[in-house]
Amino acid sequence: MSAPIGVGLVGCGRIARMFHLPILRDLPSARLVAVAEQNAGARAAALELAPGTVGVADVEGLLAMPAVEAVVICLPTHLHAETAIASFEAGRHTYVEKPLALDGEEARRVHAAWAASGKTGAMGFNFRFHPLYRQVRQVLADQQLGEVVALRSVFSSAPREVPEWKRVRETGGGALLDLASHHVDLVRFLLGAEVQAVSASISSRHSVQDTAAVTLQLSTGAVAQLLATVSAAASDRIEVLGTSATLEADRMGRRRLTVVPASAAGGPAAAARALVSGVSATLDRLRPPPEPSFAAALTAFVDDARTGAATGATIEDGVRSLAVVEAAEESAATGALVSVAQSAGPTG
Ligand SMILES: NC(=O)c1ccc[n+]([C@@H]2O[C@H](COP(=O)([O-])OP(=O)(O)OC[C@H]3O[C@@H](n4cnc5c(N)ncnc54)[C@H](O)[C@@H]3O)[C@@H](O)[C@H]2O)c1
């Protein structure tokens, strides 16, 4: 493969300093050239994590550097679209943290800029790369559950002090944009299905749009129910119900995948046998949950930028996830079942 690719990171807040910055700093296939961060304290903290990197205050300064061939965007959500468009227009491969934008109109403009650029356009749907979900996808591809009838998921994050931009919907707040956007993408990725129609209810009891219950009608005929909240103890679980077996994947709690064949309904002995046959791994519960998916997603982005492949979620997947979020908001407001357009591009 060619020389390491020059990367610029935009936005050095909580998640970038926790994951993206150290990952990109240590990635052999990348060379972290510069970081753009408007807050001087956050910029200094980033430069401490990645000595030798150039620090600038804004994305314009970063895009002016020819050594920056690829851009990773970890800005507040309301700045994703304009920054991604500027990056594609400047001819840079671009990785956009989720969600892609605030609404479908913005998302389609990013899609148009991406298509015109011919560059790699990746979405930060990193859970596609999580080993647990890779395993779920394999189990489903192997038809171990028979025909998939339904999927049910819970994604929650504990209430905490959040930055100003996360407190209102207009700049990116709420469980739909923050959490459900990930699970909508996982449903599409795991089941190989598109979302055709959405019904939802949203409540704002503790903070804006803190809890959302979303039902998806899928192109395969299966149904998915997603519950997302930023007001409850952290969890991330998915159940898939098939005609011959059910599957449970728990990324944060028991951290394992369990497949229970229909015959397990026959009693404790059968259930125990099913558990033994289906358990992939039980990890040490005393250690903090490992989160390998950020590194895998960023490695894939860098490799894709160098080879022209597209192995992760793309800008198109970002458009599709956001279309479902928007449909859920419309359904919650009107009480109606809302159809989702089947084309992701600018004319969709
Ligand atoms: N993939 C995931 O699982 C995951 C997890 C957490 C966050 N995220 C996404 O990452 C993004 C960032 O989240 P966060 O929690 O780190 O937010 P944050 O507020 O902690 O960080 C954002 C940073 O951007 C900086 N910034 C704001 N405007 C700027 C500008 N114009 N130029 C340069 N810097 C600017 C801020 O000063 C701040 O340091 C969000 O879109 C969020 O949805 C994704």
Side-chain angles (χ1 to χ4, degrees), residues 10 19 67 116 134 288:
V10 188
F19 289 106
R134 290 265 151 165

Side-chain angles (χ1 to χ4, degrees), residues 2-264:
S2 48
I5 197 164
V7 178
L9 175 67
V10 188
C12 300
R14 180 174 174 272
I15 203 68
R17 300 213 301 270
M18 205 183 285
F19 289 106
H20 305 65
L21 191 55
I23 289 166
L24 292 167
R25 177 196 64 199
D26 296 340
L27 201 58
S29 50
R31 189 167 62 87
L32 186 59
V33 174
V35 296
E37 166 58 55
Q38 70 174 15
N39 179 290
R43 193 164 64 243
L47 292 175
E48 207 166 301
L49 279 172
T53 304
V54 177
V56 294
D58 52 38
V59 68
E60 290 77 16
L62 188 124
L63 291 175
M65 300 174 69
V68 173
E69 300 164 87
V71 172
V72 173
I73 299 173
C74 292
L75 289 169
T77 295
H78 64 289
L79 300 174
H80 287 187
E82 65 183 71
T83 310
I85 290 169
S87 180
F88 285 126
E89 286 181 350
R92 298 329 205 276
H93 305 290
T94 306
Y95 180 102
V96 190
E97 255 311 337
K98 50 57 41 179
L100 176 58
L102 286 175
D103 57 41
E105 197 273 324
E106 274 192 356
R108 283 186 289 276
R109 285 198 290 116
V110 180
H111 191 285
W114 169 52
S117 76
K119 298 292 173 182
T120 295
M123 268 307 301
F125 288 136
N126 45 288
F127 294 124
R128 284 188 180 216
F129 288 91
H130 196 287
L132 190 65
Y133 293 131
R134 290 265 151 165
Q135 227 177 332
V136 171
R137 195 162 187 256
Q138 194 57 52
V139 166
L140 296 175
D142 292 346
Q143 300 273 317
Q144 287 187 43
L145 306 191
E147 184 195 330
V148 172
V149 175
L151 179 151
R152 187 165 72 157
S153 84
V154 174
F155 199 0
S156 57
S157 62
R160 62 179 170 89
E161 193 63 30
V162 292
E164 199 69 34
W165 67 268
K166 272 199 168 184
R167 294 181 199 163
V168 289
R169 167 63 177 89
E170 289 70 24
T171 45
L176 276 173
L177 287 171
D178 199 23
L179 301 178
S181 60
H182 266 307
H183 271 199
V184 169
D185 185 66
L186 273 182
V187 167
R188 296 182 55 245
F189 176 67
L190 296 175
L191 301 187
E194 291 303 337
V195 179
Q196 292 187 322
V198 179
S199 58
S201 68
I202 302 172
S203 68
S204 300
R205 196 149 63 101
H206 299 278
S207 57
V208 65
Q209 292 195 359
D210 67 319
T211 303
V214 185
T215 301
L216 310 177
Q217 294 186 359
L218 303 174
S219 52
T220 53
V223 173
Q225 275 189 336
L226 318 183
L227 186 61
T229 177
V230 293
S231 291
S235 70
D236 183 1
R237 304 192 303 272
I238 287 187
E239 270 177 67
V240 186
L241 314 181
T243 48
S244 56
T246 63
L247 169 158
E248 292 175 27
D250 183 348
R251 183 175 65 85
M252 287 181 170
R254 290 175 296 150
R255 286 179 247 152
R256 68 184 184 192
L257 171 68
T258 311
V259 177
V260 182
S263 58

Side-chain angles (χ1 to χ4, degrees), residues 282-324:
T282 303
L283 302 173
D284 180 358
R285 297 186 64 178
L286 298 174
R287 279 182 295 146
E291 187 39 81
S293 62
F294 285 99
L298 287 164
T299 303
F301 165 61
V302 165
D303 289 348
D304 287 354
R306 296 165 88 210
T307 62
T311 58
T314 66
I315 298 299
E316 176 154 336
D317 296 305
V319 175
R320 288 183 185 272
S321 168
L322 205 53
V324 175

